């Protein structure tokens, strides 16, 4: 095929003279029948700044480029990369148009497992966008089972799958599932592969989901995510303060930061709706965990009054708080209603920050000292046994 005579490439040169070098690279690869290089050069061309805009003009241009040029070579392309190209082309389209573009490729991509996965993921994304959430959920649930049972699925596929699921859960308002999918998306995606302009919003949405998800208490893992520093210097930076309060389990920080960021919280519907219920209840449980963690193991006999004061609950609510914390597997122990005591035998492990590491070091020093005293005592009472 002579690219010089292709009106699509000629139109691309005229519309984007700054991309002439990339268009020439596409032409060279077609003329040389270098199809692997051609897919890469097309992806580089489509990743250029002009095509990041979600405007009707760009949508029409990309659709014409795909149908008038790319489809002529689709049998020659790596099928995973073909779906990547299709994904970029579909990005600015309306959901209905995108689904029309996707449908004809179904048979072609089925010859490669990961390409089939990518195609189904793209279809699930566009179904979600179109409002067909039940159909999208069924598709992604089935695909998730298939991917989970498959061997050596590409990280690229896993990344796209979990990001698409994030979109579905967000549409459905299911924060617990959204958070889990977000963490998996970040686990399978290099930070450098996430556009810099998208990172702060992704980080913000992930933190908000963690805060309002009723079953999520592992904030240490979230604070360690590479994407969290991208919040700094943005309109979303304030959420790091709320995350810090939950990570440390300190009510003083919680109350301080809620007052400090009142306007931002009120402007975030998920947080505003959950503030008096989910957020405060989770903060009570995290405060109880922190109180137990900071107590030496032999001193984890907490009075109801101590728990009530530290966790900001009424004396009558202490028992319910402890039972809920036990049911969530945050702590283990016993409640003595007669003596009004809570005996805690285990606290759920968490990622340790500097302060907690210092506390553990102090406890190790005390343990070493006590061990030394015990050894000295044994030496003094049984010298003959130890010498022999």
């Amino acid at each position: 095929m002579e690219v010089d005579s292709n009106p699509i490439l000629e139109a691309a040169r005229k519309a984007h003279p700054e991309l002439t070098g990339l268009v020439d690279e596409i032409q060279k690869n077609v003329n040389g029948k270098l199809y692997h290089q051609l897919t890469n050069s097309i992806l580089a061309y489509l990743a250029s700044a002009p095509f990041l805009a979600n405007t009707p003009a760009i949508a029409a241009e990309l659709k014409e480029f795909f149908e008038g040029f790319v489809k002529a070579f689709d049998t020659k392309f790596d099928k995973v990369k073909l779906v990547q190209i299709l994904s970029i082309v579909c990005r600015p389209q309306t959901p209905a148009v995108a689904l029309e573009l996707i449908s004809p490729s179904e048979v072609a991509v089925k010859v490669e497992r990961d390409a089939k996965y990518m195609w189904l993921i793209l279809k699930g994304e566009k179904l979600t966008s179109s409002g067909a959430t039940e159909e999208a959920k069924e598709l992604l649930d089935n695909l998730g089972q298939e991917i989970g049972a498959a061997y050596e699925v590409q990280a690229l596929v896993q990344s796209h799958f979990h990001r698409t699921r994030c979109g579905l859960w967000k549409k459905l308002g299911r924060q617990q599932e959204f958070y889990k999918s977000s963490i998996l998306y970040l686990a399978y995606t290099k930070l450098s592969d996430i556009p810099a302009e998208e990172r702060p919003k992704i980080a913000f949405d992930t933190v908000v989901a963690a805060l309002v998800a009723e079953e999520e208490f592992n904030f240490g893992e979230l604070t360690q995510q590479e994407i969290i520093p991208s919040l700094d210097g943005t309109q979303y930076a304030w959420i790091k303060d709320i995350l810090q309060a939950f990570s440390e389990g300190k009510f003083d920080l919680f109350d301080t930061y809620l007052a400090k960021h009142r306007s931002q919280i009120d402007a975030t519907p998920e947080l505003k709706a959950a503030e008096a219920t989910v957020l405060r209840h989770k903060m009570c449980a995290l405060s109880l965990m922190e109180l137990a963690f900071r107590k030496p193991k032999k001193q984890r006999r907490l009075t109801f009054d101590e728990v009530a004061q530290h966790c900001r609950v009424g004396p009558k609510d202490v028992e319910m708080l402890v039972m809920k914390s036990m049911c969530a597997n945050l702590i283990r122990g016993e409640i003595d209603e007669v003596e009004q005591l809570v005996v805690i035998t285990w606290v759920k492990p968490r990622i340790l920050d500097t302060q907690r590491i210092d506390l553990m070091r102090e406890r190790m020093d005390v343990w070493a000292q006590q061990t030394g005293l015990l050894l000295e005592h044994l030496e003094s009472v049984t010298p003959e046994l130890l010498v022999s």
Side-chain angles (χ1 to χ4, degrees):
M1 178 179 179
E2 288 297 327
V3 180
D4 291 326
S5 62
N6 189 288
I8 302 298
L9 290 183
E10 288 302 320
R13 285 191 179 92
K14 292 178 181 178
H16 309 289
E18 73 280 12
L19 303 181
T20 297
L22 289 172
V23 177
D24 289 344
E25 184 71 16
I26 292 172
Q27 173 184 318
K28 184 182 75 172
N29 290 328
V30 172
N31 288 341
K33 297 184 179 180
L34 305 172
Y35 298 116
H36 173 72
Q37 291 87 338
L38 177 59
T39 54
N40 291 334
S41 59
I42 290 174
L43 284 168
Y45 172 73
L46 295 177
S48 302
F51 302 114
L52 297 179
N54 291 328
T55 64
I58 291 298
E61 182 180 347
L62 287 174
K63 184 173 183 288
E64 186 178 11
F65 179 79
F66 182 79
E67 293 182 330
F69 179 74
V70 174
K71 287 182 73 173
F73 304 96
D74 59 4
T75 59
K76 308 289 186 181
F77 289 168
D78 173 88
K79 296 303 182 284
V80 171
K81 290 188 176 181
L82 176 62
V83 179
Q84 285 182 269
I85 292 170
L86 183 57
S87 177
I88 296 172
V89 171
C90 288
R91 188 167 53 204
Q93 313 295 335
T94 64
V97 171
L99 287 167
E100 288 177 5
L101 284 169
I102 292 166
S103 183
S105 303
E106 181 176 7
V107 176
V109 300
K110 279 187 174 180
V111 297
E112 290 186 24
R113 183 199 66 181
D114 286 1
K116 182 188 76 171
Y117 292 166
M118 289 284 284
W119 185 88
L120 289 169
I121 291 165
L122 181 58
K123 183 179 179 181
E125 176 190 337
K126 299 309 173 184
L127 285 172
T128 300
S129 299
S130 70
T133 52
E134 286 301 317
E135 186 178 351
K137 182 178 181 301
E138 183 179 1
L139 184 153
L140 293 173
D141 284 348
N142 293 335
L143 180 58
Q145 294 177 6
E146 190 172 345
I147 290 175
Y151 182 67
E152 292 187 346
V153 178
Q154 293 182 41
L156 175 69
V157 176
Q158 296 277 12
S159 173
H160 280 260
F161 173 73
H162 292 296
R163 178 148 194 186
T164 300
R165 262 200 156 175
C166 284
L168 174 64
W169 299 134
K170 191 168 184 66
K171 190 102 172 177
L172 294 174
R174 293 170 59 167
Q175 297 293 341
Q176 184 73 48
E177 290 88 347
F178 174 84
Y179 176 69
K180 290 179 179 178
S181 292
S182 294
I183 290 297
L184 288 168
Y185 165 66
L186 295 173
Y188 284 107
T189 312
K190 293 179 181 178
L191 187 63
S192 58
D193 291 337
I194 303 175
E197 65 275 9
E198 295 181 12
R199 294 173 197 170
K201 186 64 166 67
I202 291 172
F204 177 78
D205 288 343
T206 302
V207 173
V208 169
L211 293 172
V212 303
E214 295 186 23
E215 300 175 9
E216 187 54 50
F217 293 90
N218 191 8
F219 295 98
E221 178 184 5
L222 183 54
T223 60
Q224 300 297 312
Q225 291 291 331
E226 282 186 297
I227 202 170
I228 295 300
S230 66
L231 293 164
D232 296 336
T234 71
Q235 62 179 318
Y236 306 113
W238 60 273
I239 200 69
K240 289 182 69 177
D241 288 342
I242 310 297
L243 177 60
Q244 180 189 354
F246 276 77
S247 179
E248 296 187 16
K250 294 181 179 178
F251 245 115
D252 289 341
L253 286 179
F254 177 72
D255 290 337
T256 298
Y257 290 141
L258 253 58
K260 180 180 178 181
H261 303 300
R262 172 50 53 195
S263 60
Q264 291 97 326
I265 291 171
D266 288 343
T268 309
E270 298 90 344
L271 292 179
K272 186 177 181 181
E275 180 183 346
T277 53
V278 177
L279 296 188
R280 185 156 290 274
H281 293 165
K282 287 177 68 172
M283 197 66 216
C284 291
L286 291 165
S287 295
L288 177 59
M289 288 179 67
E290 186 66 14
L291 175 63
F293 177 81
R294 291 189 174 277
K295 292 279 188 180
K297 191 171 183 179
K298 294 181 179 180
Q299 298 178 20
R300 289 180 178 170
R301 296 171 60 85
L302 311 175
T303 65
F304 277 26
D305 288 340
E306 185 179 8
V307 173
Q309 183 177 0
H310 187 84
C311 300
R312 311 282 179 88
V313 296
K316 294 182 179 180
D317 298 322
V318 169
E319 191 173 352
M320 182 61 67
L321 169 62
V322 174
M323 287 193 295
K324 285 185 176 180
S325 298
M326 288 180 178
C327 289
N329 202 33
L330 303 179
I331 59 172
R332 295 174 191 161
E334 298 176 353
I335 301 174
D336 188 333
E337 295 183 62
V338 177
E339 298 294 332
Q340 298 282 282
L341 287 174
V342 179
V343 181
I344 297 178
T345 58
W346 177 86
V347 180
K348 184 177 181 179
R350 291 183 289 172
I351 292 177
L352 301 179
D353 57 18
T354 304
Q355 292 181 349
R356 293 190 181 95
I357 290 173
D358 287 341
L359 181 60
M360 293 294 289
R361 179 183 54 78
E362 291 173 5
R363 290 182 182 173
M364 291 295 291
D365 290 343
V366 171
W367 175 81
Q369 185 179 14
Q370 291 175 342
T371 303
L373 292 173
L374 176 61
L375 181 59
E376 290 177 6
H377 174 69
L378 289 173
E379 288 176 339
S380 65
V381 297
T382 56
E384 297 84 1
L385 178 61
L386 291 174
V387 168
S388 60

